[in-house]
Amino acid sequence: MDSISIMVAFLAGIASFLSPCILPLVPAYITYLTGTSLTNLSKEQQDDGVHKSRIHLTSFWRALAFVIGFSTVFIAFGASATYLGQWLWGYRGTLQNIAGVIIILFGLHLTGLLPIKWLYREVRFNKVPKSGGFIGAILLGMAFAAGWSPCVGPILSAIYLYAATTETMAQGIYLLLAYSAGLAIPFLITALFITSVEKYLSKLGRYLPMVSIASGAIMIILGILIVTNQLGRITAYFNFMLNF
């Protein structure tokens, strides 16, 4: 798996974290996982250092369980997409063109130039698994991954489509692993320092539309490179320059 593809998938994960569908809800997810409010967390951290460390560790480990939950679902779907792509390998050229065009459409949707109504739908479970420790957090993460979000959906779908055009299942898994890491790392950092970074998250809200537009523009470029079959050449050139 080339470094550019991994980097694109990783940046897609970060873009998903910064999307208007996830970033404003991160404090709510973390406080739900820990079973207390931000106000209570702030008050509790004024206690002795041992108690403060315990709060940080509890928040981090449950957030890690949440990350394991959604990563498991993302990677499983990515492997399935690659398996389907291998089954259609004889039509690889057509599959790449279709995938590229769809990615371009998703990019236009994110920039707001071509809103696609059905992408605004969300799939939600009526009964969201409550945080019951490590296992409960994993189940909540899996429920999160199985839901459809109007912001994350196009980005994640683009990675799935890209995975479907890869040669092996391992390559598809690497792509979704990189995407999950891009989404997970900032989430874990936020969980570890939730009371410190919460105020900065609210300030980032004003920049979220720009993040969506930038993500859409990158997806459009990626789609064009896939349709014109130039992505492989750029990757080869990039790898050559790194090894030069």
Side-chain angles (χ1 to χ4, degrees):
M1 175 58 63
D2 59 84
S3 54
I4 287 184
S5 298
I6 296 296
M7 181 178 65
V8 168
F10 180 77
L11 292 176
I14 294 177
S16 295
F17 177 83
L18 295 174
S19 69
C21 299
I22 291 183
L23 187 64
L25 298 178
V26 168
Y29 271 112
I30 293 173
T31 54
Y32 185 78
L33 289 170
T34 56
T36 185
S37 65
L38 282 176
T39 303
N40 290 336
L41 281 174
S42 299
K43 289 180 180 179
E44 289 173 351
Q45 289 198 64
Q46 295 174 4
D47 296 338
D48 61 276
V50 175
H51 188 54
K52 180 178 179 179
S53 298
R54 184 178 62 80
I55 294 170
H56 277 275
L57 286 175
T58 298
S59 176
F60 178 81
W61 284 114
R62 291 191 180 179
L64 180 62
F66 181 79
V67 164
I68 291 173
F70 71 64
S71 297
T72 300
V73 174
F74 289 156
I75 292 171
F77 284 171
S80 299
T82 307
Y83 178 79
L84 179 61
Q86 288 179 321
W87 188 59
L88 298 171
W89 191 251
Y91 305 94
R92 184 186 178 190
T94 302
L95 180 64
Q96 283 185 332
N97 289 334
I98 293 173
V101 170
I102 294 175
I103 290 173
I104 291 171
L105 291 175
F106 283 166
L108 291 171
H109 168 78
L110 283 179
T111 60
L113 295 175
L114 185 65
I116 303 174
K117 291 183 178 180
W118 64 269
L119 285 176
Y120 288 108
R121 296 179 181 177
E122 287 186 273
V123 176
R124 296 287 185 185
F125 293 107
N126 292 327
K127 294 183 179 179
V128 179
K130 294 184 178 180
S131 176
F134 198 83
I135 300 300
I138 290 178
L139 293 176
L140 182 62
M142 296 178 74
F144 164 81
W148 181 269
S149 169
C151 302
V152 180
I155 298 176
L156 182 57
S157 297
I159 300 299
Y160 285 149
L161 287 168
Y162 191 18
T165 65
T166 57
E167 264 185 85
T168 66
M169 186 176 294
Q171 291 177 335
I173 290 174
Y174 288 148
L175 277 177
L176 271 299
L177 190 60
Y179 173 84
S180 298
L183 178 58
I185 290 174
F187 188 86
L188 291 173
I189 293 174
T190 303
L192 194 58
F193 304 102
I194 181 61
T195 54
S196 302
V197 303
E198 193 270 336
K199 58 183 178 181
Y200 297 107
L201 292 181
S202 59
K203 291 181 181 179
L204 282 174
R206 71 186 72 173
Y207 303 108
L208 295 185
M210 289 186 287
V211 171
S212 181
I213 292 173
S215 301
I218 292 173
M219 287 175 61
I220 292 171
I221 294 172
L222 177 64
I224 292 173
L225 290 176
I226 291 175
V227 170
T228 58
N229 202 27
Q230 296 298 312
L231 185 60
R233 295 181 182 179
I234 292 176
T235 299
Y237 177 77
F238 180 77
N239 291 332
F240 172 78
M241 294 301 294
L242 284 179
N243 297 322
F244 184 72

